[in-house]
């Protein structure tokens, strides 16, 4: 055996994906849209060369390996160009949610010490407030449309993308760094705590991509046209900006417009086959089609993630849209794929979140971190391990793992005999009533099956005798608050009597985090502050 | 950015596959057959624990990291057990083709310095000749069936697998070595030169597995039952022993019996959905079904590799068997997958070998190694690059790569506008006639389309005036040698007149290498030695 490696040195870096698509999938197209209308089409070969020139431009203005570039942008080819330009040059693409407040944004940007901001043109109105709060930002690049730049005086240079590349662009060699180098940075949404930074590496993103494209996972092919209705600032839009070029699929990037009318128009005009997004997006699509008529005949599948999707909504989507709904579970700390319900099997009546693909391992522990002896059919704290799962948060001194090398998801879960996962709630969301635990997720699951219910959450309220008592919060699709009490009928006999909520709050619109998840932190705060007017006793 | 890695340290080692299958795909089964009848069924969890005990046993008798274990075995669960027991303990599984002569086998074993031999019981008759020639072998383990051990006196200890594990077995921790560690060793078939050893690493096999299971490649799912009709001693049976547990598919291992009757019985009894093997195997299946009637209704797809498959044979397979034929190209040095025709698209009338999946790159050069400026629609020398492609041969001092880091396949190929590869022959097989090149593969392709032709090869014969002239060698399905000359009619007008073969040799059976490829070395030797009786002039 010689000492040199017998197989080629082939670092798992993300430039491989766009190089591959440019060379082998020339006809594939990346479509960028605004208000549901395609405004730009670019092939992978052009995207590759544009990204490469942008890499050179970023290096020309002084950025060096490991430096962070902040993106405040919608889903577009320009945003994708910044992804590849930064990552492939050894820079770190730091995506951030434009819907956060300037105070939140600047706190994160300062922690990350981002040097350049790439901002969508229609978000430039934020700059006047933001830039003074973000002293590490040396330069701004404007994406998507540069019409609004002229006439303003900015504290740092502000260039349209094309102008910036025209001035500084140069072809460079990509990938001359170890595969463990950081590629992306994304802060968690903070619905359950303070935002924390997750650093994706080239290796973790590469392996996540290979893992996610397989038939029992996202099942992606060069034949597909993929609508990315997950923001690219949220966990790399589930990795689709990597997996689409890896397989040579067409990409449809809808800009900021995720409303039902825009998505329906785009699915039809681009013959989208697969669409990914959280459930609220698809409720919008369903409501639009119900109101206006029409179909989306090309669409074969919708991948949903985020919070658990009620079975009634899944049925409605599958029947009305003629698609297969594919449920998944994951989190930013997992890049994000954790489990996925394979479309190779007939769907189950009640949809779990599926099994982990190779490269993700799960285990259940008790609250003390001890692995449960019985891993099937019991509820436990969910711990995860894998190549694309976090070891430590950005700037953290300590590892985020337990002594066995697993990461604690904070979720409660159960795994059935077939290995399929069902999230049963957040360990932090549990309500302690009279010394015993009530799991809000179980109540939400039952109420969520009622077709009148659009969104449901159960939160704890302080109670002098019992410690905490459950409160049911609903957003109704049909019917008013007067009917809300009848939702209790569906609960009686299905859960223990002492689990039955004490109160029902009816909201016109559930507070959602920017990711589409119900924001229970805001919900509890609003309830405690007495902000909700429509509160009624649930039980006599 | 802290100095520690932000994502988990998760080495790409092969124990992950069998651990994953054992934990998440309990119901999946590995079936071992003999003469088309299942003789053993084992689940992944049991296979995992058996392999793990065998790892401990191999360590107990003194094997250490990097040591080689030689397998001389058919496709069986026991053979798979040896794969995982050796590789996962940091040993190297050295597979060898039992159909090689004792002289060939021992030369390779001595070069590899194998320490233990794992041999199928029905190959033990080879041992008397072999063991005296293989002084590095310290111990023999008998697989599949131990009935034949008793009563013989051997120069080294010989144990049945169960007895060996019973005596020495111990549970061990797997995987405590770098992912670049060698896992497997396979010598090339030597149809085009002296056998050379290819060393697969854990990392290369892991990445090859993820690459191969995707929808546009082998498209493997937990729903599948995969018949492995490629020997496990040939390029790890295209990686199926890794990819099946990685996705949790059922495996059907047919033992030594790849005849049509055995495979038909096994496909039916086990409801096989996907079968992999070289074309000669499927000709056997077709002939059996044509002769006896009957169908293989569960079978959805046949993956073929090895030499180019004639379109007529593909049509016959698809029509008679009701399957999709999936063409691939690869070589041992590529682990072996190079390109694959995706089943996600409607099949083309004339089947190419498809596109490279992500992780394989191809380029065409001239004979001097210069990259061709035009990479589409021209014929060139095919060079390859990727994570599961050889850097250097076993025990070689020099890298096998060119200055750009590409490996020369020795094939001539063309790539169409869509990126699909067609192999046009071996650069060494080219025939130089009057100072110009004749490509045997083009002639073979045309003749191979004739439904009367079972196998075809064109070889060069020495010629005093022209240097070399082509000779057409055929094995006919129907009709005798008297009709062979009419095959020339199909060539006239389709190739240049001076490409037309001078002679036709009709053989009752084409000489094949153990891999199923036509053995042109033997063919040329037989022709030159005057061994073929049925030689006629092709042209008047």
């Amino acid at each position: 055996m010689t000492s040199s490696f017998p197989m080629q040195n082939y670092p798992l870096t993300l430039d491989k994906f766009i190089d591959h698509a440019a060379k082998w999938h020339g006809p594939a197209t990346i479509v960028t849209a605004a208000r549901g209308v395609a405004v730009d089409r670019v092939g992978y070969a052009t995207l590759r060369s544009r990204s490469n020139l942008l890499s050179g431009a970023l290096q020309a203005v002084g950025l060096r390996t490991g430096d962070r570039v902040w993106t405040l942008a919608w889903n577009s080819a320009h945003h994708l160009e910044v992804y590849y330009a930064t990552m492939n040059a050894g820079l770190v693409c730091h995506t951030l949610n434009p819907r956060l407040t300037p105070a939140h944004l600047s706190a994160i940007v300062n922690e990350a010490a981002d040097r350049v901001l790439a901002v969508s043109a229609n978000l430039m109105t934020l700059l006047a407030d933001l830039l003074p709060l973000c002293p590490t930002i040396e330069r701004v690049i404007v994406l998507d449309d540069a019409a609004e730049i002229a006439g303003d005086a900015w504290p740092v240079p502000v260039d349209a993308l094309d102008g910036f590349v025209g001035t500084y662009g140069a072809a460079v060699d990509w990938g001359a760094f170890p595969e463990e180098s950081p590629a992306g940075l994304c802060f968690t949404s903070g619905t359950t705590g303070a935002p924390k930074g997750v650093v994706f590496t080239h290796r973790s993103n590469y392996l996540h991509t290979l893992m996610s494209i397989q038939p029992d996972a996202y099942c992606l092919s060069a034949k597909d046209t993929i609508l990315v209705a997950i923001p690219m600032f949220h966990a790399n839009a589930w990795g689709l900006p990597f997996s689409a070029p890896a397989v040579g699929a067409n990409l449809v990037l809808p800009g900021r417009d995720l409303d039902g009318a825009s998505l329906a128009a785009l699915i039809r005009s681009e013959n989208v086959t697969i669409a990914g997004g959280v459930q609220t997006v698809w409720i919008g699509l369903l409501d639009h089609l119900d109101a206006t008529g029409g179909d989306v005949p090309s669409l074969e599948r919708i991948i949903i993630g985020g919070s658990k999707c009620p079975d009634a909504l899944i049925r409605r989507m599958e029947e009305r849209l003629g698609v297969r709904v594919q449920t998944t579970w994951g989190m930013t700390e997992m890049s994000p794929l954790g489990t996925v319900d394979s479309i190779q099997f007939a769907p189950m009546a009640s949809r779990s979140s599926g099994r982990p693909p190779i490269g993700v391992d799960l285990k259940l522990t008790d609250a003390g971190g001890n692995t449960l002896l019985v891993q099937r059919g019991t509820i436990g704290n969910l711990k995860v391990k894998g190549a694309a799962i976090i070891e430590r948060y950005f700037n953290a001194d300590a590892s985020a793992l337990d002594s066995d090398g697993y990461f604690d998801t904070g979720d409660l879960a159960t795994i059935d005999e077939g290995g399929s996962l069902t999230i049963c709630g957040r360990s932090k969301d549990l309500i302690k009533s009279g010394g015993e635990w009530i799991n809000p997720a179980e109540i939400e699951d039952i109420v969520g099956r009622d077709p009148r219910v659009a969104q449901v959450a159960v939160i704890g309220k302080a109670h002098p005798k019992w410690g905490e008592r459950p409160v049911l919060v609903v957003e109704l699709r049909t019917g008013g608050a007067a009917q809300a009490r009848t939702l209790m009928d569906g609960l009686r006999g299905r859960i223990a009597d002492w689990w039955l909520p004490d109160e029902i709050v009816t909201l016109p619109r559930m507070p959602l985090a920017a990711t589409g998840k119900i924001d229970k932190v805001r919900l509890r705060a609003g309830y405690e502050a007495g902000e909700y007017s429509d509160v009624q006793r649930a039980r006599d």
Side-chain angles (χ1 to χ4, degrees), chain A:
Chain A
M1 204 85 20
T2 59
S3 61
S4 299
F5 292 134
M7 286 283 157
Q8 291 184 17
N9 177 23
Y10 189 87
L12 306 180
T13 53
L14 301 172
D15 52 305
K16 305 277 197 308
F17 294 156
I18 193 79
D19 283 353
H20 176 80
K23 188 162 177 181
W24 298 104
H25 297 280
T29 307
I30 300 110
V31 171
T32 302
R35 293 174 206 85
V37 177
V39 294
D40 181 62
R41 290 174 192 280
V42 61
Y44 282 113
T46 303
L47 188 86
R48 187 214 174 277
S49 62
R50 289 182 55 99
S51 298
N52 189 263
L53 291 174
L54 178 55
S55 291
L58 291 168
Q59 290 174 343
V61 299
L63 269 68
R64 294 292 171 260
T65 306
D67 281 349
R68 265 85 64 199
V69 171
W70 168 26
T71 71
L72 198 63
W74 312 112
N75 291 11
S76 71
H78 275 189
H79 198 175
L80 194 59
E81 212 171 303
V82 177
Y83 261 52
Y84 281 103
T86 50
M87 298 181 192
N88 296 354
L91 308 174
V92 178
C93 184
H94 176 202
T95 56
L96 253 175
N97 185 343
R99 295 196 177 88
L100 295 174
T101 64
H104 278 134
L105 288 170
S106 58
I108 292 172
V109 168
N110 290 329
E111 186 183 341
D114 298 321
R115 292 187 62 188
V116 168
L117 164 63
V119 62
S120 284
N122 60 16
L123 289 166
M124 285 187 71
T125 48
L126 295 174
L127 291 191
D129 288 338
L130 264 177
L131 286 180
L133 301 174
C134 302
T136 64
I137 296 295
E138 301 163 24
R139 175 176 287 278
V140 176
I141 304 166
V142 182
L143 311 181
D144 301 335
D145 175 3
E148 296 172 51
I149 298 180
D152 285 295
W154 302 101
V156 296
V158 176
D159 294 294
L161 178 63
D162 286 347
F164 179 67
V165 172
T167 306
Y168 300 103
V172 294
D173 286 335
W174 276 339
F177 43 78
E179 66 188 32
E180 296 86 356
S181 302
L185 174 61
C186 182
F187 278 71
T188 57
S189 61
T191 46
T192 57
K196 283 177 284 191
V198 177
V199 178
F200 309 106
T201 67
H202 282 264
R203 178 180 162 104
S204 71
N205 277 338
Y206 192 107
L207 291 171
H208 182 271
T209 301
L210 288 193
M211 179 175 91
S212 70
I213 60 184
Q214 62 178 297
D216 289 326
Y218 292 163
C219 193
L220 303 181
S221 158
K223 82 164 180 6
D224 287 312
T225 297
I226 305 170
L227 171 65
V228 184
I230 317 112
M232 287 168 63
F233 53 75
H234 178 58
N236 295 324
W238 304 350
L240 292 169
F242 306 121
S243 44
V247 303
N250 300 296
L251 265 179
V252 178
L253 304 174
R256 76 185 301 165
D257 306 301
L258 303 183
D259 61 284
S262 295
L263 294 185
L266 210 43
I267 292 167
R268 283 192 288 253
S269 68
E270 301 303 328
N271 289 309
V272 168
T273 58
I274 300 175
V278 294
Q279 63 189 66
T280 44
V281 165
W282 309 119
I283 293 170
L285 177 65
L286 284 166
D287 289 348
H288 167 77
L289 292 176
D290 282 351
T292 62
D295 292 297
V296 283
S298 64
L299 196 62
E300 297 167 7
R301 176 159 42 115
I302 289 178
I303 308 174
I304 54 173
S307 43
K308 176 166 168 52
C309 191
D311 286 325
L313 176 57
I314 291 177
R315 264 198 305 278
R316 188 175 164 221
M317 288 167 68
E318 294 193 333
E319 285 166 12
R320 177 64 182 87
L321 304 176
V323 301
R324 170 77 181 259
V325 171
Q326 183 171 33
T327 49
T328 69
W329 167 78
M331 56 198 307
T332 303
E333 289 89 337
M334 301 180 75
S335 300
L337 182 59
T339 64
V340 51
D341 191 40
S342 171
I343 60 163
Q344 308 301 325
F345 294 86
M348 307 281 273
S350 180
R351 226 61 73 84
S352 76
S353 296
R355 285 188 283 217
I358 178 72
V360 172
D361 191 30
L362 317 176
K363 70 172 180 180
L364 300 176
T365 73
D366 64 21
N370 306 299
T371 302
L372 296 180
L373 287 178
V374 176
Q375 289 281 314
R376 296 292 186 269
T378 54
I379 294 181
N381 295 69
L382 180 61
K383 311 288 176 75
V384 293
K385 190 171 188 170
I389 298 175
I390 194 165
E391 157 83 31
R392 69 183 64 218
Y393 287 101
F394 179 70
N395 273 346
D397 291 327
S399 164
L401 308 187
D402 67 14
S403 56
D404 287 344
Y406 280 74
F407 173 73
D408 185 353
T409 63
D411 283 321
L412 300 170
T414 183
I415 300 169
D416 70 18
E417 286 302 320
S420 286
L421 182 83
T422 298
I423 297 293
C424 305
R426 298 285 297 169
S427 51
K428 286 182 189 166
D429 284 349
L430 290 179
I431 296 165
K432 199 164 197 174
S433 178
E436 300 287 337
W437 293 109
I438 294 171
N439 186 354
E442 287 189 46
I443 305 171
E444 291 160 1
D445 187 44
I446 295 168
V447 175
R449 284 181 218 152
D450 193 303
R452 295 170 294 174
V453 173
Q455 299 269 5
V456 54
V458 172
I459 58 174
K461 68 161 186 171
H463 190 281
K465 178 174 177 190
W466 302 109
E468 282 187 304
R469 287 297 300 155
V471 173
L472 178 66
V473 188
V474 288
E475 173 190 326
L476 296 173
R477 294 188 61 236
T478 57
Q483 279 95 57
R485 274 185 84 180
T486 62
L487 294 172
M488 297 295 287
D489 301 337
L491 285 173
R492 288 195 184 86
R494 288 203 167 130
I495 55 175
D497 274 355
W498 64 276
W499 279 38
L500 289 171
D502 283 5
E503 289 176 355
I504 303 178
V505 179
T506 311
L507 294 182
R509 190 59 70 182
M510 191 70 80
L512 300 181
T515 56
K517 289 183 197 171
I518 294 173
D519 190 337
K520 284 199 170 178
V521 173
R522 273 165 64 200
L523 203 55
R524 282 191 209 98
Y527 177 83
E528 282 161 21
E531 287 174 9
Y532 303 140
S533 56
D534 211 337
V535 181
Q536 55 187 313
R537 290 198 53 194
R539 319 164 70 174
D540 296 314

